[in-house]
């Protein structure tokens, strides 16, 4: 029992540098575990699963609470008759892609360039370039140009404001929610 406890403590201690790196520099962490990460990426609380070396992210990819799953665990039901069976495939994400909060990307998927994937989407098949995709399963719903037009009608110019100025501007524009 003490031997098992000691092995557990050793495994936790060995994992500390990577956990620290994941929190302090998520891009460096992703690269350290084998993910190909392009330039200018923003990764917040991203999980690369059990085969991170099969995930490739292009330049300017933003992802928050995203899960990249490179294997299909459903083959479990065949394990008795096929003990060596696995279904594993790489995931490729193009350049200039935004993955909304909580997106799940499944094995073998390729996401094109200039794509927005809506929060909570489950990407089960390839998504072409220059579109917005949402849903479960994720499906393209409009072009990127249509999205830009819709966004520009509702946009507020707050990105470069400090917190106090932003609050003042938004309160003046929208007032307090009732």
């Amino acid at each position: 029992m003490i031997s098992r406890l000691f092995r557990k403590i050793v495994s936790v201690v060995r994992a500390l540098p990577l956990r620290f790196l994941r929190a302090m520099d998520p891009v460096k962490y992703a690269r350290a575990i084998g993910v190909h990460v392009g330039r200018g990426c923003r990764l917040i609380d991203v999980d690369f699963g059990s085969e991170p070396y099969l995930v490739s992210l292009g330049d300017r990819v933003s992802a928050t609470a995203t899960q990249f799953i490179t294997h299909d665990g459903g083959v479990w039901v065949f394990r008795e008759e096929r003990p060596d069976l696995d279904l594993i495939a790489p995931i490729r994400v193009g350049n200039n892609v935004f993955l909304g909060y909580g997106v799940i990307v499944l094995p073998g998927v390729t996401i094109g360039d200039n794509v927005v994937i809506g929060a909570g989407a489950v990407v089960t098949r390839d998504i072409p370039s220059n579109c917005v995709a949402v849903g479960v399963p994720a499906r393209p719903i409009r072009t990127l140009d249509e999205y830009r037009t819709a966004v520009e009608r509702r946009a507020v110019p707050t990105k470069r404001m400090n917190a106090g100025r932003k609050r003042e501007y938004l309160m003046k524009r929208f007032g307090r929610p009732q």
Side-chain angles (χ1 to χ4, degrees):
M1 176 155 155
I2 291 181
S3 173
R4 194 166 61 207
L5 178 60
F6 180 75
R7 282 193 307 268
K8 181 66 175 171
I9 290 170
V10 167
S11 71
V12 168
V13 169
R14 283 186 180 149
L16 282 177
L18 275 180
R19 287 182 188 197
F20 180 75
L21 185 59
R22 182 177 184 188
M24 298 308 295
D25 190 340
V27 170
K28 198 172 198 178
Y29 165 77
R31 288 179 177 138
I33 62 171
V35 178
H36 170 81
V37 182
R39 296 182 321 262
C41 291
R42 177 177 62 177
L43 307 173
I44 302 167
D45 196 26
V46 174
D47 181 8
F48 293 100
S50 55
E51 298 86 23
Y53 45 86
L54 294 178
V55 178
S56 176
L57 307 178
D59 298 336
R60 289 192 38 78
V61 172
S62 175
T64 302
T66 298
Q67 294 180 39
F68 294 97
I69 302 172
T70 55
H71 66 277
D72 182 343
V75 298
W76 169 262
V77 300
F78 309 119
R79 204 56 89 207
E80 280 189 34
E81 59 193 68
R82 298 279 311 277
D84 294 332
L85 182 65
D86 261 329
L87 182 54
I88 300 171
I91 295 171
R92 290 178 178 75
V93 178
N95 298 316
N96 201 37
V97 173
F98 178 84
L99 301 164
Y101 188 92
V103 168
I104 299 172
V105 184
L106 295 182
V109 165
T110 296
I111 297 172
D113 297 332
N114 304 308
V115 172
V116 174
I117 306 288
V122 178
V123 186
T124 61
R125 60 181 67 145
D126 293 354
I127 302 295
S129 293
N130 302 305
C131 75
V132 175
V134 300
V136 179
R139 298 195 192 303
I141 60 163
R142 62 172 63 161
T143 68
L144 199 60
D145 287 337
E146 291 168 333
Y147 176 65
R148 180 191 319 260
T149 300
V151 164
E152 300 223 353
R153 286 194 298 263
R154 299 183 340 225
V156 292
T158 59
K159 191 62 181 170
R160 294 185 184 159
M161 292 180 184
N162 66 37
R165 176 72 182 110
K166 180 178 180 179
R167 179 183 175 136
E168 180 183 314
Y169 175 87
L170 294 174
M171 292 301 290
K172 184 176 181 180
R173 178 165 177 158
F174 299 118
R176 185 171 303 279
Q178 298 301 322

